[in-house]
Amino acid sequence: MGSGPEPRPNRISFVNPSPSSTLSPKANSDLFDQSALSDLAQRLVEAARRAGADAADAVAVRGVSQGVEVRDGRVEESERSEGDDVGLRVLVGQRQAVVSTNDVSGDAVTKLAERAVAMARVAPSDKYVGLADPALLARDFPDLDLLDPDVPATAELERRALEAEAAALAVKGVTKSGGASASAGIGGMVLVTSTGFHGSYLRSSQGISATAISGEGTGMERDYDFTSAPHGADLLSPEIVGRSAGERTVARYNPRKVETCKVPVVFDPRVAGSLVGHVVGAINGASIARKTSFLKDKLGQQLFAKNIRIIDDPLRKRGLRSQTFDAEGVAVKQTALIDEGVLTTWLLDCATARELGLATTGHAHRGVSSSPSPGPYNLHLEAGTPTPAELIADIKQGFYVTDLIGSGVNGVTGDYSRGASGFWIENGEITYPVSEVTIAGHLFEIFKSMQPANNLEFRYGINAPTVRIEGLTLGGR
């Protein structure tokens, strides 16, 4: 559960395991030492050049994770995974190929490089492919404090999950547990290019979640809460997560239906980030180049009120998606995607930038088996001035959304329609629960009327305060 992709690895440093960690000191030192991955990526690039590539880059990814799931006071599942993967991208003229493997024993490096070059030679020509301009490559790698030096033991993960579940079950009205979990992991990546770039990341991630159920049979309701962060110290406590899951569930019990109407709609912070996601999806350079975005002609135009700013910040300390360079080695920076309501930029990697006649914005992302493509980092909608209570105080009848269902948003036309549940607003107060409704409108109108409250918190990959939107159609009975 959560908003946005899983946290990405970040810059390498070295850590010590907690005394109770299930990882041995040697296992930890092996995991945290990325020199072997760096050597492997360098050998892949050199092998590709020997095999006839004009240019190449290699990514080597290492990850370890462990997680525990509990239900009814017992551990249901405990799992651990660990592995290395490598990907090689080669360019022969204007032809490109990407190959990946997790087997680099023996002469696998040479064979992988030869296979990649052979594939590139028969690939379609693409005049936009190529490595990043060396002048754009990152030179400085600030410490973003993304690695927790304490690796939690399996016993500690069990404790967190059991405590979260117990807190959920202790809420009056909760009838059963939907389960709870706790996890921890470390991810690392190395990027080497034939133009001389060599960078590496290492980051940790920890999380706790709980789900609670109220009612019985067809009258059951469920809800959840969760917390995630690179550092364990930044997590909400298991007790807070569990209690929140229970209280959210009980509040949803015995929902009513409402008549179809057009009313102000207020988005809870947990779902308000989805509106930011729709903005960012529509300004992705790949969609702009394909002309499949409803914002394709709106660069530099006023789309929101002047108090609206949407920020992408890859350099936020302890951020879930922070990193110091992109998947092509390009330096990254904080960017106001929407500034005083105006759309300022597209999200671009090198290929989409060339296609659009622009410069990359340092937004390339990549897996080991894919070529780079644009994507965001840590996103947030800046807070406004009213409190959430003030934001709804003048609403005679309206809808407060706590959950969205489905993905009925058309990125080509901007039409918006999603299933939702939440609470009815009456005379400025949140009253009874409502379920099985649809909220519909157009993203242009949604953007124009967006009003943020002052309660912004940084908990997810996309963060937003409570947000009010005027005049959406609520489809009920």
Side-chain angles (χ1 to χ4, degrees):
M1 289 169 273
S3 290
E6 288 298 307
R8 296 174 176 272
N10 214 296
R11 194 170 184 228
I12 186 168
S13 52
F14 295 88
V15 302
N16 296 314
S18 69
S20 59
S21 173
T22 55
L23 294 172
S24 69
K26 181 180 187 305
N28 267 340
S29 64
D30 289 347
L31 175 66
F32 301 142
D33 180 0
Q34 291 182 301
S35 58
L37 282 184
S38 297
D39 292 343
L40 173 58
Q42 186 69 49
R43 285 190 290 122
L44 279 166
V45 170
E46 291 170 354
R49 294 302 302 271
R50 286 195 303 271
D54 296 318
D57 62 12
V59 290
V61 176
R62 170 171 293 167
V64 59
S65 64
Q66 52 189 352
V68 173
E69 294 185 15
V70 304
R71 190 185 299 266
D72 298 329
R74 298 189 303 274
V75 175
E76 273 200 334
E77 186 174 0
S78 180
E79 62 180 12
R80 174 185 168 82
S81 64
E82 184 173 339
D84 296 348
D85 294 283
V86 294
L88 175 65
R89 178 171 63 138
V90 303
L91 296 109
V92 178
Q94 293 183 324
R95 302 172 190 274
Q96 174 179 273
V98 178
V99 295
S100 63
T101 185
N102 57 10
D103 178 13
V104 289
S105 58
D107 59 353
V109 166
T110 300
K111 289 182 177 178
L112 188 70
E114 290 173 347
R115 185 165 78 249
V117 171
M119 290 169 59
R121 284 178 174 147
V122 297
S125 180
D126 183 347
K127 62 184 177 180
Y128 304 119
V129 302
L131 302 188
D133 181 340
L136 300 175
L137 297 176
R139 300 281 185 264
D140 300 315
F141 306 99
D143 179 12
L144 302 180
D145 193 16
L146 298 170
L147 193 62
D148 190 334
D150 294 321
V151 180
T154 301
E156 169 63 11
L157 297 179
E158 289 180 10
R159 183 197 69 78
R160 294 176 184 179
L162 289 167
E163 188 176 322
E165 181 183 54
L169 289 169
V171 174
K172 184 178 180 181
V174 171
T175 53
K176 64 174 70 174
S177 169
S181 65
S183 62
I186 292 170
M189 186 194 81
V190 174
L191 172 65
V192 174
T193 75
S194 59
T195 51
F197 180 82
H198 192 137
S200 57
Y201 297 70
L202 195 66
R203 66 172 301 128
S204 52
S205 62
Q206 297 187 40
I208 304 166
S209 69
T211 302
I213 299 170
S214 63
E216 300 288 345
T218 58
M220 284 197 307
E221 294 290 334
R222 71 171 59 219
D223 210 326
Y224 68 92
D225 206 350
F226 74 101
T227 180
S228 60
H231 284 251
D234 295 335
L235 295 173
L236 297 177
S237 73
E239 196 272 337
I240 289 174
V241 173
R243 185 173 68 245
S244 174
E247 289 171 349
R248 282 178 173 271
T249 301
V250 171
R252 293 173 62 134
Y253 185 63
N254 197 22
R256 305 184 198 175
K257 304 292 188 290
V258 294
E259 301 289 341
T260 296
C261 54
K262 197 168 187 176
V263 294
V265 175
V266 180
F267 288 71
D268 181 84
R270 193 165 80 175
V271 292
S274 66
L275 300 174
V276 177
H278 299 320
V279 179
V280 173
I283 66 172
N284 186 293
S287 297
I288 301 303
R290 291 194 303 265
K291 302 189 185 304
T292 56
S293 168
F294 75 102
L295 295 182
K296 63 183 183 296
D297 302 317
K298 301 300 181 184
L299 190 63
Q301 294 190 22
Q302 187 95 33
L303 301 179
F304 299 79
K306 286 198 170 182
N307 66 324
I308 299 296
R309 296 183 86 231
I310 295 177
I311 307 298
D312 189 25
D313 186 7
L315 299 175
R316 180 150 53 83
K317 286 203 168 187
R318 296 198 182 192
L320 281 170
R321 302 180 188 168
S322 297
Q323 57 192 72
T324 54
F325 57 88
D326 78 353
E328 295 175 295
V330 173
V332 298
K333 62 181 179 180
Q334 184 188 99
T335 306
L337 307 178
I338 302 293
D339 195 8
E340 296 186 346
V342 175
L343 173 60
T344 67
T345 185
W346 309 129
L347 300 187
L348 303 172
D349 63 354
C350 289
T352 55
R354 292 184 190 107
E355 187 168 357
L356 295 168
L358 300 168
T360 177
T361 56
H363 281 93
H365 294 270
R366 178 184 174 188
V368 293
S369 58
S370 62
S371 56
S373 59
Y377 301 105
N378 299 300
L379 293 163
H380 72 270
L381 168 64
E382 284 195 350
T385 52
T387 65
E390 290 168 344
L391 202 65
I392 68 171
D394 67 339
I395 297 178
K396 294 199 179 306
Q397 289 193 317
F399 183 52
Y400 185 87
V401 187
T402 57
D403 274 292
L404 292 167
I405 305 158
S407 54
V409 181
N410 190 319
V412 179
T413 65
D415 291 324
Y416 181 94
S417 178
R418 298 194 68 179
S421 60
F423 299 87
W424 191 243
I425 300 170
E426 189 106 22
N427 296 321
E429 299 287 338
I430 293 174
T431 57
Y432 53 83
V434 171
S435 67
E436 296 181 15
V437 297
T438 301
I439 50 177
H442 194 281
L443 287 172
F444 280 141
E445 300 305 317
I446 290 172
F447 294 166
K448 282 180 187 176
S449 71
M450 184 179 288
Q451 299 178 63
N454 68 348
N455 59 334
L456 175 66
E457 293 182 350
F458 293 98
R459 290 188 58 189
Y460 315 113
I462 304 178
N463 296 283
T466 304
V467 170
R468 175 173 169 172
I469 306 294
E470 302 301 325
L472 291 179
T473 298
L474 199 67
R477 60 189 177 191

